[in-house]
Amino acid sequence: MLPTPSTAHVDINRIYEPAEDSYLLLDTLSTASEIQYLVERFNPEQTSTSPVPLVLEVGTGSGVVLAFISANAQHLFGIADVLFLGIDINEYACHATEETVRRAYEDGQTHGTFIGALQADLTSAMKPAAVDMLVFNPPYVPTSEVPEALSLGHKNDFTSAAKHENFDEDSHLLSLSYAGGKDGMEVTDRLLDQLPQLLSERGVAYVLLCQQNKPNEVVKRIQAWGPHWAVMTVGRSGKAAGWEKLQVIRIWRTKKAKTSKQSET
């Protein structure tokens, strides 16, 4: 079993604490079937003319998922020559992610190359067709509305992270990590709309859903993108019932798919 990165340093008053959804992603990505899929997908012999793979996690939170994938790159991809990038709307989460990855890298020599963690709104900072693998644990809890993001670029004092003088701001930051709006899908819908332009020709995405997100409808929506896209459920939580029953779907381009960038050439 691959080690789970430590998040003991993470300020859970402001940053989403690793929970069942986080660990479902770790378990799913480290199954024999998904490892085989990723190794074959990014086999250097088949992609010798392609750039080094870029793995992006959107909504890193504590950084436990990105640190796990990055620290175990050789095991999960069959190669260590992989780039890793994180994005979160919460600047505290970006800071925590960088520390989580740094600590995970101290435990072994099979890790990839961590570029950093950016504060951004979903994939707004990315170029078209730039991402080879995307991981997304979205805010999936159904709520009356999606909270507005705090202004990007606000400078925070991370050295005083243990001091919480503004309870409302801390609560707001946490709500960004779980409040998904109608059916818990408003943020996920935005991300799905961005995938066709974001993923490279060999691109693949892992997206976590709960039962109230109506995953069957999500699958049908992706299937409607056309014959050059495929989707399947690759991980499920162990819960037998309840609205929070979770699953991970894998979305990928088939070999004949073209990115919007390629279509313009």
Side-chain angles (χ1 to χ4, degrees):
M1 180 179 294
L2 299 175
T4 300
S6 171
T7 56
H9 57 283
V10 174
D11 183 356
I12 61 174
N13 293 295
R14 292 168 169 162
I15 301 164
Y16 185 71
E17 182 178 13
E20 181 185 4
D21 47 11
S22 310
Y23 300 125
L24 177 59
L25 280 167
L26 302 193
D27 291 343
T28 298
L29 292 169
S30 58
T31 60
S33 58
E34 287 312 297
I35 290 175
Q36 181 180 357
Y37 172 83
L38 292 173
V39 169
E40 292 177 354
R41 189 82 171 176
F42 298 105
N43 186 330
E45 295 181 0
Q46 298 180 15
T47 60
S48 58
T49 60
S50 300
V52 174
L54 173 63
V55 176
L56 170 68
E57 183 186 9
V58 177
T60 57
S62 67
V64 67
V65 174
L66 188 62
F68 176 84
I69 305 171
S70 181
N72 296 292
Q74 181 70 53
H75 184 86
L76 299 178
F77 296 90
I79 54 174
D81 194 13
V82 183
L83 301 176
F84 294 87
L85 176 67
I87 286 178
D88 202 292
I89 196 72
N90 179 348
E91 189 179 4
Y92 289 103
C94 295
H95 183 75
T97 294
E98 293 182 340
E99 179 63 14
T100 303
V101 174
R102 185 191 69 78
R103 295 187 181 200
Y105 276 20
E106 293 176 349
D107 297 331
Q109 299 299 320
T110 63
H111 58 73
T113 300
F114 177 59
I115 301 174
L118 305 176
Q119 184 189 18
D121 180 21
L122 297 180
T123 66
S124 59
M126 305 302 297
K127 293 183 178 180
V131 176
D132 297 296
M133 174 175 160
L134 179 140
V135 181
F136 188 39
N137 182 2
Y140 57 78
V141 177
T143 54
S144 59
E145 60 183 6
V146 174
E148 292 185 8
L150 298 177
S151 58
L152 296 178
H154 175 70
K155 297 300 182 181
N156 293 306
D157 180 9
F158 297 108
T159 61
S160 61
K163 299 179 181 179
H164 300 281
E165 299 176 356
N166 191 334
F167 177 80
D168 289 340
E169 180 175 321
D170 291 347
S171 297
H172 187 86
L173 288 170
L174 282 179
S175 70
L176 290 170
S177 68
Y178 67 79
K182 184 179 179 182
D183 295 328
M185 282 295 296
E186 291 187 34
V187 179
T188 302
D189 281 340
R190 291 177 55 216
L191 188 282
L192 292 176
D193 286 342
Q194 296 169 7
L195 281 185
Q197 290 73 42
L198 179 71
L199 293 181
S200 68
E201 184 177 2
R202 57 182 173 175
V204 56
Y206 291 88
V207 179
L208 186 139
L209 303 169
C210 78
Q211 195 63 35
Q212 285 200 0
N213 298 155
K214 302 178 181 179
N216 290 338
E217 292 186 9
V218 175
V219 168
K220 290 179 181 178
R221 170 182 172 184
I222 295 164
Q223 291 172 336
W225 291 355
H228 300 320
W229 289 93
V231 57
M232 67 180 293
T233 299
V234 292
R236 296 181 185 274
S237 66
K239 288 188 177 181
W243 72 264
E244 204 173 23
K245 186 176 181 181
L246 306 172
Q247 64 178 268
V248 177
I249 60 172
R250 186 215 299 153
I251 307 165
W252 71 99
R253 289 186 184 274
T254 61
K255 292 201 179 277
K256 294 182 180 180
K258 291 184 177 180
T259 65
S260 59
K261 185 176 181 180
Q262 292 172 317
S263 299
E264 295 171 359
T265 60

